[in-house]
Amino acid sequence: MKTIILLGAPGAGKGTIAEGIRNESVFIHVSTGDMLREAVKNGTVVGRQAEGFMKRGELVPDDVIVGIVGERLDRGARDLAYMFDGFPRTLEQARLLDETLSRYASKVDKVFLLDAPRELLMARLTGRRVCRKCGQSYHVINIPPKKTGVCDLCGGELYQRADDSEATILNRLEVYSKQTESLISYYEKKGVLVRIDSARQRQDTVAEILAIAKPLIAT
Ligand code: AMP
């Protein structure tokens, strides 16, 4: 099993970069944010536990997150390649991921830290629109749909995520610097951290990551 992680602040581009990598490799994209939004939509137990935290831009408790990720890994085959997006977000989650992977005689292979200036993070998040039906992401200025408010792919309605309001964004950025940034030194010490400039065009960032990630699968 190979594992890569996309780490970075909200708005750094984890979701769109992950989509680019998924389209050009065998990495299986696991986004805890997407899994939680789906759970909220379906009104499951996990969804009910997570909803309030998500609305406020706070982190969902570690036991809930580790539960859904553990289940996802147990369902998958051992020899697959995983790409985590938005997970881990705390040191506790990172330690538990290490423990889970060690059960499969595996470890985290690379962590890509997506770096972008704060003004760009804000601009990306406030302009983000998402398709209600298929989940495709757009941006009102950078990646506009052909027809305002309508998904190019499936014709679904585009909406603004509840946690993409300005006040919640500020809280999410604060939560990132308080609870997630410590993961940078955790993975740096393990020698697996790679810093990636994600203020560039999406395809350049994707290409740089693929050049490092693809050879991992061959080994
Ligand atoms: P994202 O789509 O990755 O920006 O996640 C949206 C929201 O889901 C976050 O603001 C958190 O409330 C929650 N969330 C997603 N992943 C995690 C995680 N690994 N740990 C805790 N909360 C998470």
Side-chain angles (χ1 to χ4, degrees):
M1 185 193 283
K2 297 290 175 189
T3 302
I4 63 170
I5 292 170
L6 301 184
L7 181 65
K14 299 185 294 293
T16 28
I17 301 297
E19 191 189 304
I21 293 170
R22 183 180 65 196
N23 291 342
E24 292 186 51
S25 70
V26 297
F27 280 99
I28 293 168
H29 179 198
V30 179
S31 156
T32 44
D34 286 349
M35 289 160 91
L36 292 170
R37 276 184 291 279
E38 188 67 20
V40 170
K41 198 165 102 187
N42 296 333
T44 64
V45 174
V46 166
R48 288 198 298 274
Q49 286 171 320
E51 194 170 10
F53 294 101
M54 293 174 79
K55 274 210 180 116
R56 294 188 296 271
E58 293 166 13
L59 294 187
V60 172
D62 287 336
D63 55 335
V64 177
I65 300 294
V66 169
I68 59 172
V69 172
E71 249 174 52
R72 180 66 192 74
L73 288 179
D74 288 341
R75 264 194 287 128
R78 284 163 188 233
D79 55 351
L80 294 176
Y82 286 100
M83 164 174 53
F84 288 106
D85 145 18
F87 172 86
R89 264 174 152 103
T90 63
L91 275 175
E92 182 64 11
Q93 289 179 19
R95 289 196 194 104
L96 286 163
L97 176 64
D98 287 345
E99 232 175 86
T100 308
L101 291 177
S102 71
R103 279 198 264 124
Y104 295 102
S106 187
K107 60 177 179 40
V108 171
D109 293 286
K110 284 278 179 239
V111 177
F112 297 97
L113 173 64
L114 305 184
D115 229 359
R118 196 181 164 97
E119 316 80 73
L120 187 59
L121 303 177
M122 285 298 291
R124 280 180 177 167
L125 292 167
T126 49
R128 173 160 64 184
R129 298 292 181 273
V130 185
C131 175
R132 225 179 257 292
K133 227 160 114 189
C134 73
Q136 181 67 27
S137 246
Y138 295 87
H139 187 278
V140 287
I141 294 160
N142 306 339
I143 324 165
K146 291 199 185 86
K147 193 172 163 210
T148 308
V150 180
C151 178
D152 291 348
L153 301 182
C154 75
E157 180 203 355
L158 302 187
Y159 78 109
Q160 183 169 32
R161 267 172 50 173
D163 59 351
D164 278 346
S165 69
E166 201 152 327
T168 310
I169 289 171
L170 290 175
N171 194 34
R172 287 161 65 205
L173 291 172
E174 178 82 14
V175 164
Y176 175 77
S177 58
K178 281 206 178 121
Q179 293 178 267
T180 308
E181 236 167 25
S182 50
L183 293 182
I184 298 173
S185 58
Y186 181 81
Y187 287 120
E188 212 157 31
K189 278 185 199 134
K190 288 182 184 287
V192 293
L193 192 88
V194 185
R195 286 171 195 270
I196 303 281
D197 171 11
S198 78
R200 298 170 293 171
Q201 292 284 335
R202 168 190 187 236
Q203 64 265 31
D204 297 337
T205 310
V206 169
E208 190 181 345
I209 296 177
L210 278 172
I212 301 169
K214 266 191 171 170
L216 292 173
I217 303 167
T219 58

Short mmCIF file of all heavy atoms in Angstrom, two decimals, residues 70-94:
data_model
loop_
_atom_site.label_atom_id
_atom_site.label_comp_id
_atom_site.label_asym_id
_atom_site.label_seq_id
_atom_site.Cartn_x
_atom_site.Cartn_y
_atom_site.Cartn_z
N GLY A 70 -10.64 4.69 9.02
CA GLY A 70 -10.31 3.29 9.29
C GLY A 70 -11.22 2.35 8.51
O GLY A 70 -10.76 1.40 7.88
N GLU A 71 -12.51 2.68 8.52
CA GLU A 71 -13.49 1.87 7.78
C GLU A 71 -13.17 1.85 6.29
O GLU A 71 -13.24 0.83 5.63
CB GLU A 71 -14.88 2.51 7.92
CG GLU A 71 -15.85 1.74 8.75
CD GLU A 71 -17.13 2.56 8.93
OE1 GLU A 71 -17.69 3.02 7.92
OE2 GLU A 71 -17.51 2.75 10.10
N ARG A 72 -12.81 3.03 5.78
CA ARG A 72 -12.50 3.17 4.35
C ARG A 72 -11.29 2.32 3.97
O ARG A 72 -11.29 1.63 2.95
CB ARG A 72 -12.26 4.66 4.05
CG ARG A 72 -11.93 4.99 2.60
CD ARG A 72 -13.14 4.71 1.72
NE ARG A 72 -12.79 4.75 0.30
CZ ARG A 72 -12.10 3.84 -0.34
NH1 ARG A 72 -11.65 2.77 0.30
NH2 ARG A 72 -11.84 3.96 -1.63
N LEU A 73 -10.27 2.33 4.84
CA LEU A 73 -9.06 1.56 4.54
C LEU A 73 -9.33 0.06 4.65
O LEU A 73 -8.84 -0.73 3.85
CB LEU A 73 -7.92 1.95 5.50
CG LEU A 73 -7.29 3.31 5.27
CD1 LEU A 73 -6.19 3.57 6.30
CD2 LEU A 73 -6.70 3.43 3.87
N ASP A 74 -10.14 -0.32 5.65
CA ASP A 74 -10.44 -1.74 5.82
C ASP A 74 -11.22 -2.30 4.64
O ASP A 74 -11.11 -3.48 4.32
CB ASP A 74 -11.23 -1.96 7.12
CG ASP A 74 -10.34 -1.77 8.34
OD1 ASP A 74 -9.10 -1.83 8.17
OD2 ASP A 74 -10.86 -1.55 9.44
N ARG A 75 -12.03 -1.43 4.01
CA ARG A 75 -12.81 -1.88 2.85
C ARG A 75 -11.94 -2.05 1.61
O ARG A 75 -12.24 -2.80 0.71
CB ARG A 75 -13.91 -0.85 2.53
CG ARG A 75 -15.24 -1.19 3.14
CD ARG A 75 -16.34 -0.34 2.53
NE ARG A 75 -16.29 1.04 2.99
CZ ARG A 75 -16.28 2.10 2.19
NH1 ARG A 75 -16.31 1.97 0.89
NH2 ARG A 75 -16.26 3.31 2.70
N GLY A 76 -10.82 -1.29 1.54
CA GLY A 76 -9.96 -1.30 0.36
C GLY A 76 -8.97 -2.45 0.38
O GLY A 76 -8.74 -3.06 1.42
N ALA A 77 -8.39 -2.74 -0.76
CA ALA A 77 -7.38 -3.80 -0.82
C ALA A 77 -6.06 -3.25 -0.29
O ALA A 77 -5.84 -2.04 -0.24
CB ALA A 77 -7.22 -4.27 -2.25
N ARG A 78 -5.17 -4.15 0.12
CA ARG A 78 -3.91 -3.72 0.72
C ARG A 78 -2.92 -3.12 -0.25
O ARG A 78 -2.06 -2.34 0.12
CB ARG A 78 -3.22 -4.92 1.37
CG ARG A 78 -3.88 -5.29 2.64
CD ARG A 78 -3.49 -6.68 3.03
NE ARG A 78 -4.30 -7.04 4.18
CZ ARG A 78 -3.81 -7.49 5.31
NH1 ARG A 78 -2.52 -7.68 5.45
NH2 ARG A 78 -4.60 -7.78 6.30
N ASP A 79 -3.03 -3.52 -1.50
CA ASP A 79 -1.98 -3.10 -2.43
C ASP A 79 -2.34 -1.83 -3.20
O ASP A 79 -1.77 -1.53 -4.22
CB ASP A 79 -1.70 -4.24 -3.42
CG ASP A 79 -2.94 -4.69 -4.14
OD1 ASP A 79 -4.02 -4.25 -3.75
OD2 ASP A 79 -2.83 -5.49 -5.08
N LEU A 80 -3.31 -1.06 -2.70
CA LEU A 80 -3.72 0.13 -3.43
C LEU A 80 -2.89 1.34 -3.04
O LEU A 80 -2.14 1.32 -2.08
CB LEU A 80 -5.19 0.40 -3.15
CG LEU A 80 -6.14 -0.65 -3.70
CD1 LEU A 80 -7.56 -0.34 -3.29
CD2 LEU A 80 -6.04 -0.76 -5.20
N ALA A 81 -3.05 2.38 -3.82
CA ALA A 81 -2.34 3.63 -3.55
C ALA A 81 -3.37 4.67 -3.14
O ALA A 81 -4.33 4.92 -3.86
CB ALA A 81 -1.61 4.08 -4.81
N TYR A 82 -3.18 5.25 -1.95
CA TYR A 82 -4.15 6.22 -1.43
C TYR A 82 -3.60 7.64 -1.44
O TYR A 82 -2.41 7.86 -1.20
CB TYR A 82 -4.52 5.88 0.02
CG TYR A 82 -5.43 4.68 0.12
CD1 TYR A 82 -4.92 3.43 0.45
CD2 TYR A 82 -6.79 4.81 -0.12
CE1 TYR A 82 -5.75 2.33 0.54
CE2 TYR A 82 -7.63 3.72 -0.04
CZ TYR A 82 -7.10 2.48 0.29
OH TYR A 82 -7.94 1.40 0.37
N MET A 83 -4.49 8.58 -1.70
CA MET A 83 -4.15 10.00 -1.62
C MET A 83 -5.15 10.64 -0.66
O MET A 83 -6.34 10.74 -0.97
CB MET A 83 -4.26 10.64 -3.00
CG MET A 83 -4.30 12.15 -2.98
SD MET A 83 -4.26 12.85 -4.64
CE MET A 83 -5.60 11.98 -5.44
N PHE A 84 -4.67 11.05 0.51
CA PHE A 84 -5.55 11.70 1.48
C PHE A 84 -5.56 13.20 1.26
O PHE A 84 -4.51 13.81 1.07
CB PHE A 84 -5.11 11.39 2.91
CG PHE A 84 -5.38 9.98 3.31
CD1 PHE A 84 -4.35 9.06 3.41
CD2 PHE A 84 -6.68 9.56 3.56
CE1 PHE A 84 -4.60 7.75 3.76
CE2 PHE A 84 -6.94 8.25 3.92
CZ PHE A 84 -5.90 7.34 4.02
N ASP A 85 -6.76 13.77 1.31
CA ASP A 85 -6.94 15.21 1.11
C ASP A 85 -7.74 15.72 2.30
O ASP A 85 -8.86 15.28 2.54
CB ASP A 85 -7.63 15.39 -0.25
CG ASP A 85 -8.61 16.54 -0.35
OD1 ASP A 85 -8.59 17.45 0.47
OD2 ASP A 85 -9.42 16.52 -1.31
N GLY A 86 -7.12 16.59 3.10
CA GLY A 86 -7.82 17.11 4.29
C GLY A 86 -7.72 16.18 5.49
O GLY A 86 -8.41 16.37 6.48
N PHE A 87 -6.90 15.19 5.41
CA PHE A 87 -6.65 14.25 6.51
C PHE A 87 -5.19 13.81 6.43
O PHE A 87 -4.73 13.52 5.33
CB PHE A 87 -7.56 13.02 6.40
CG PHE A 87 -7.22 11.94 7.38
CD1 PHE A 87 -7.74 11.96 8.66
CD2 PHE A 87 -6.34 10.91 7.04
CE1 PHE A 87 -7.42 10.97 9.58
CE2 PHE A 87 -5.99 9.92 7.96
CZ PHE A 87 -6.55 9.96 9.22
N PRO A 88 -4.46 13.71 7.54
CA PRO A 88 -4.85 14.10 8.89
C PRO A 88 -4.83 15.61 9.09
O PRO A 88 -4.19 16.34 8.34
CB PRO A 88 -3.78 13.42 9.76
CG PRO A 88 -2.59 13.26 8.88
CD PRO A 88 -3.11 13.11 7.48
N ARG A 89 -5.53 16.07 10.14
CA ARG A 89 -5.56 17.50 10.45
C ARG A 89 -5.08 17.78 11.88
O ARG A 89 -4.98 18.93 12.26
CB ARG A 89 -6.98 18.03 10.31
CG ARG A 89 -7.27 18.69 8.94
CD ARG A 89 -8.74 19.02 8.90
NE ARG A 89 -9.14 20.11 8.10
CZ ARG A 89 -9.72 19.99 6.90
NH1 ARG A 89 -9.85 18.81 6.34
NH2 ARG A 89 -10.15 21.06 6.27
N THR A 90 -4.83 16.74 12.65
CA THR A 90 -4.28 16.93 14.01
C THR A 90 -3.16 15.89 14.20
O THR A 90 -3.11 14.88 13.49
CB THR A 90 -5.35 16.67 15.11
OG1 THR A 90 -5.74 15.28 15.01
CG2 THR A 90 -6.56 17.56 14.95
N LEU A 91 -2.31 16.15 15.22
CA LEU A 91 -1.23 15.21 15.50
C LEU A 91 -1.79 13.85 15.88
O LEU A 91 -1.25 12.80 15.50
CB LEU A 91 -0.38 15.74 16.65
CG LEU A 91 0.72 16.73 16.25
CD1 LEU A 91 1.40 17.28 17.49
CD2 LEU A 91 1.74 16.08 15.32
N GLU A 92 -2.90 13.87 16.64
CA GLU A 92 -3.53 12.62 17.06
C GLU A 92 -3.96 11.80 15.82
O GLU A 92 -3.72 10.59 15.74
CB GLU A 92 -4.74 12.96 17.95
CG GLU A 92 -5.49 11.78 18.51
CD GLU A 92 -4.65 10.94 19.47
OE1 GLU A 92 -3.56 11.38 19.86
OE2 GLU A 92 -5.11 9.82 19.79
N GLN A 93 -4.57 12.48 14.85
CA GLN A 93 -4.98 11.78 13.61
C GLN A 93 -3.75 11.23 12.88
O GLN A 93 -3.79 10.13 12.34
CB GLN A 93 -5.75 12.73 12.68
CG GLN A 93 -7.13 13.10 13.18
CD GLN A 93 -7.85 14.06 12.24
OE1 GLN A 93 -7.52 14.20 11.07
NE2 GLN A 93 -8.87 14.75 12.76
N ALA A 94 -2.66 12.01 12.87
CA ALA A 94 -1.45 11.57 12.16
C ALA A 94 -0.88 10.31 12.83
O ALA A 94 -0.48 9.36 12.16
CB ALA A 94 -0.41 12.69 12.16
#
